[in-house]
Every structure is written in structure tokens, then in C-alpha cells.
Amino acid sequence: MKISCIQMDMRLGAADENFAHAEELVRQAVQAERPDTVVLPETWNTGFFPKDLESCADRDGERTKAVFSPLARELNVNIVCGSVATQKADGFYNTAYAFDRTGAVAGEYDKTHGFSPSGEHEAFRAGNRTCRFQLDGRSCGLIICYDIRFPELTRTMALEGLDLLFVPAQWPAKRTMHLETLARARAIENQMFLVLCNSAASDTACGGHSAIIDPWGEYLARAGSGEATITGTLDFSVIEGIRSSINVFRDRRPELYRTDRT
């Protein structure tokens, strides 16, 4: 699977401008790279996050679906549409959508861990389920930004079978080292590919450094700090090789693990 990761810049609260820019970047990536899958960052429609969500959040994801479902079908490409700020019946959510080549919604996920130091947990309601889906016959999962600091979440999906994890993010430049370390760790410990698509939002000093990482923790592609598109090709036979030579799933001792302590 060939994947293009779009490290997008966006304007805080400028939904119309951001939608137009996101579509333009997807079209450019498909024309230039001919990928199977295109990925966008976290909350690209609003940036992270405007004070007035009421005026710019996507109601029930309707606009995102109206733009990117037909675009995926037109371009014959999977689009992991990062996440968008959405307004649902019971409040605001940080919601990710994945569209397959037919334009169908293959996966939908509400971010489960709000970044409390910035007050995200007060602006957005938390999701309560994991997200696994299929793209081109491969088992995929999706988490969002701060979720990567909670290894139990990723391992839960990995135990159900996972080849590829997408991580859209709005991660600040000052903690880039943390992001890179956590992304490589999640790929290595779960023996899977990981696609990190961070924002390059200048409005909120996001740090970029998006990456496509193989199950050995090696970079297949890596971005700098500015707006950019990176592309890498995933050879899924690598997963079979690593899991047969170092079978961490077979060697687990779940009877010793306790993750329910408060």
C-alpha cells in the first residue's frame, strides 16, 4: 500500500478556507504520487481549537462527508480524513473519518482522550469506543494525537488484529521528541505500520515531523516542520516476518497485567 501523508497548515477557525485547502492538497498528492491512501491531520477544518466552535464545527460531519466521499470515489483513493471538529446532538466532538475508494465511510472515531492541559476535555466530549476498519483488505486502526500516550488503547486494537495504525495529530513543536518517540514505540511494541500525520499549523505552533514508520521502528518517510506531503510504500510481508521471529503476542502474560487501577 502506497500512502501519502499531508502535513497541512490551516487557519484557526477558518473552516471555508481550510476545506478548500485540504481538498486542493489531496488532489495534488494524488496527481503527484498516485497513492492508494491519503491522510490528513487532526482538526484541520478548525485548527486546534478555536474559541467559537459553534460557528465553525462540522454538524454531524455532513460537510466532511459531502466533500471527501465523492472525492475518494472520483480519485479512486482511500482518504483517512484526519479529524474534524464536529457538532453532534449532545455536544462537540473531535471526530475522525476514513473513506474507502468507493466513497463509503469505512471508519469513524471520536477522540477518547482530551488533552486536559489545554482544556480540550472541556471543549469536546470524549468518545467511548475504539476504531478498526478495512482499507484494501488490510486491518487498520485510528487514534488521535494525545491518544498515543495511552498504550492500552493501541494494544487493545492490536490484540484484535491490526496491520496499520493512523495517527492524525496537532502536536506542538516544543514536544516533537515525545511524539517521535511515542510513535516509534507504538509501532515497535505492536509490530505494525504506523502513519503519523501531524499538523504544520503556524497559528498554534504545531511541529510537523509527520512520519511513516515500519514495524521495526524505521522511518519509511519523514517530514520536516513546514507544510509538506510525504509518501511511503508499505510491504505488509514485513509484519509476518517480524511476528514469526519475535512473537511478543505469543509471549504475553496477561494474567500479570493490571490496567484497571485508578
Side-chain angles (χ1 to χ4, degrees), residues 31-262:
Q31 182 176 17
E33 303 293 340
R34 302 298 179 189
D36 300 295
T37 302
V38 177
V39 189
L40 288 167
E42 180 184 15
T43 55
W44 54 263
N45 67 325
T46 59
F48 188 85
F49 50 88
K51 292 181 179 179
D52 183 15
L53 286 169
E54 182 85 35
S55 67
C56 56
D58 188 0
R59 292 185 180 273
D60 293 315
E62 292 177 358
R63 185 174 186 179
T64 302
K65 295 171 188 175
V67 172
F68 288 93
S69 174
L71 186 63
R73 187 167 55 249
E74 174 195 340
L75 300 177
N76 187 33
V77 67
N78 305 305
I79 302 177
V80 178
C81 207
S83 78
V84 292
T86 59
Q87 184 174 12
K88 302 183 182 183
D90 59 344
F92 296 100
Y93 287 83
N94 186 339
T95 307
Y97 296 98
F99 301 93
D100 67 18
R101 295 176 186 272
T102 71
V105 177
E108 180 177 342
Y109 171 69
D110 294 322
K111 188 176 182 179
T112 53
H113 298 91
F115 188 59
S116 57
S118 71
E120 183 185 11
H121 66 303
E122 297 174 348
F124 294 101
R125 296 180 64 88
N128 57 13
R129 62 179 179 83
T130 59
C131 179
R132 290 176 59 248
F133 53 95
Q134 296 279 319
L135 290 179
D136 292 351
R138 291 294 172 180
S139 179
C140 302
L142 202 156
I143 63 175
I144 300 173
C145 200
Y146 188 45
D147 287 335
I148 203 171
R149 287 190 181 269
F150 301 87
E152 306 96 322
L153 178 64
T154 301
R155 177 52 62 91
T156 297
M157 291 187 287
L159 289 172
E160 297 172 346
L162 203 62
D163 298 328
L164 170 59
L165 181 67
F166 295 100
V167 188
Q170 287 267 7
W171 201 280
K174 62 184 177 182
R175 288 190 291 274
T176 294
M177 183 273 287
H178 287 193
L179 180 60
E180 293 179 322
T181 302
L182 291 164
R184 296 179 78 182
R186 297 296 87 84
I188 293 166
E189 69 195 7
N190 294 294
Q191 300 179 330
M192 64 186 181
F193 289 93
L194 187 146
V195 176
L196 165 67
C197 188
N198 196 24
S199 163
S202 52
D203 280 358
T204 48
C206 285
H209 288 84
S210 299
I212 300 172
I213 303 169
D214 76 7
W216 291 105
E218 300 290 340
Y219 290 112
L220 302 179
R222 190 180 183 194
S225 58
E227 186 171 271
T229 296
I230 58 172
T231 301
T233 299
L234 280 53
D235 177 3
F236 289 102
S237 67
V238 171
I239 293 177
E240 182 179 350
I242 190 172
R243 289 181 182 173
S244 63
S245 62
I246 310 174
N247 194 330
V248 297
F249 293 96
R250 178 196 61 203
D251 296 336
R252 292 176 68 249
R253 296 284 308 281
E255 71 275 12
L256 300 178
Y257 311 149
R258 287 288 303 279
T259 59
D260 58 347
R261 294 188 178 95
T262 56

